[in-house]
Amino acid sequence: TEPWLSYTTGLAVTKINLDPDVAFIRSIAANALVCTSLMLGQSARTMMGKLGAIWFPIMVFSATGFEHCVANMAYVPLGLMYGADCDYRKWLYQNLLLSIVGNTVGGGLVVGGAAYFLYDWTTMLRVAEQDEDRMAREESATMNGSGSSWSVDYRSRLNTSISTLDHVPMLP
């Protein structure tokens, strides 16, 4: 049990004694990777695609040693219970609180903000309204005798279906 005991206590001491700036930045990156893996897993269509999409960001998160509040809630108290030379108060205020705030920023603002601006539902509504306006203009031009009704109707329906598919995010 000795290699595991010294590793656990050393990890707890290292995480507790991080500079606050470093802990905050690492926690932003940690939850950005976790939330990215969830979004990639949801967008994949097959089970192998889902596993592959989730695996890589989580592997990067684990290998780099970023600060995730849930992981720290497991490792740090375990190290403190095994006798790590640190204090609970220092862990709560210097590591855990900063990890919670950084994880919120990384998952909510970085990944959530990017998803909002990429897949905003009002953008899809605007595109649908523009397509409806264009179809109405083409239909009125057809009624005035400025073209073949079949070709305008076929082209407008084809363009509407293609442009609608371009702006819909891929869901499982």
Side-chain angles (χ1 to χ4, degrees):
T1 62
E2 173 46 39
W4 304 111
L5 180 67
S6 61
Y7 174 77
T8 305
T9 56
L11 182 65
V13 169
T14 303
K15 285 185 174 287
I16 291 173
N17 290 327
L18 277 176
D19 290 336
D21 300 340
V22 173
F24 182 71
I25 298 297
R26 283 185 182 180
S27 61
I28 290 173
N31 213 30
L33 284 169
V34 170
C35 290
T36 301
S37 72
L38 291 174
M39 289 181 66
L40 290 173
Q42 286 179 344
S43 65
R45 294 178 186 231
T46 65
M47 184 56 69
M48 289 305 293
K50 289 178 186 293
L51 291 173
I54 290 172
W55 179 80
F56 186 73
I58 296 297
M59 186 264 314
V60 170
F61 157 70
S62 300
T64 54
F66 288 147
E67 300 292 312
H68 197 270
C69 61
V70 177
N72 288 352
M73 284 183 213
Y75 283 118
V76 175
L78 186 64
L80 290 171
M81 284 188 280
Y82 281 137
D85 189 25
C86 285
D87 186 21
Y88 274 103
R89 255 185 265 146
K90 188 175 181 182
W91 169 60
L92 288 174
Y93 293 117
Q94 191 169 339
N95 185 279
L96 186 62
L97 184 64
L98 291 172
S99 293
I100 291 171
V101 173
N103 287 161
T104 304
V105 170
L109 295 180
V110 174
V111 177
Y116 176 77
F117 286 114
L118 288 174
Y119 303 118
D120 183 19
W121 62 272
T122 57
T123 304
M124 287 186 265
L125 287 178
R126 263 185 270 130
V127 167
E129 288 172 358
Q130 290 171 356
D131 287 342
E132 287 176 8
D133 292 342
R134 184 178 39 78
M135 285 176 55
R137 282 194 308 270
E138 289 176 356
E139 187 173 317
S140 67
T142 302
M143 294 297 193
N144 294 334
S146 60
S148 165
S149 64
W150 180 84
S151 63
V152 171
D153 187 38
Y154 176 74
R155 271 190 252 119
S156 65
R157 287 185 186 200
L158 181 63
N159 289 336
T160 301
S161 63
I162 290 173
S163 65
T164 304
L165 290 176
D166 286 341
H167 299 286
V168 175
M170 186 185 303
L171 296 174

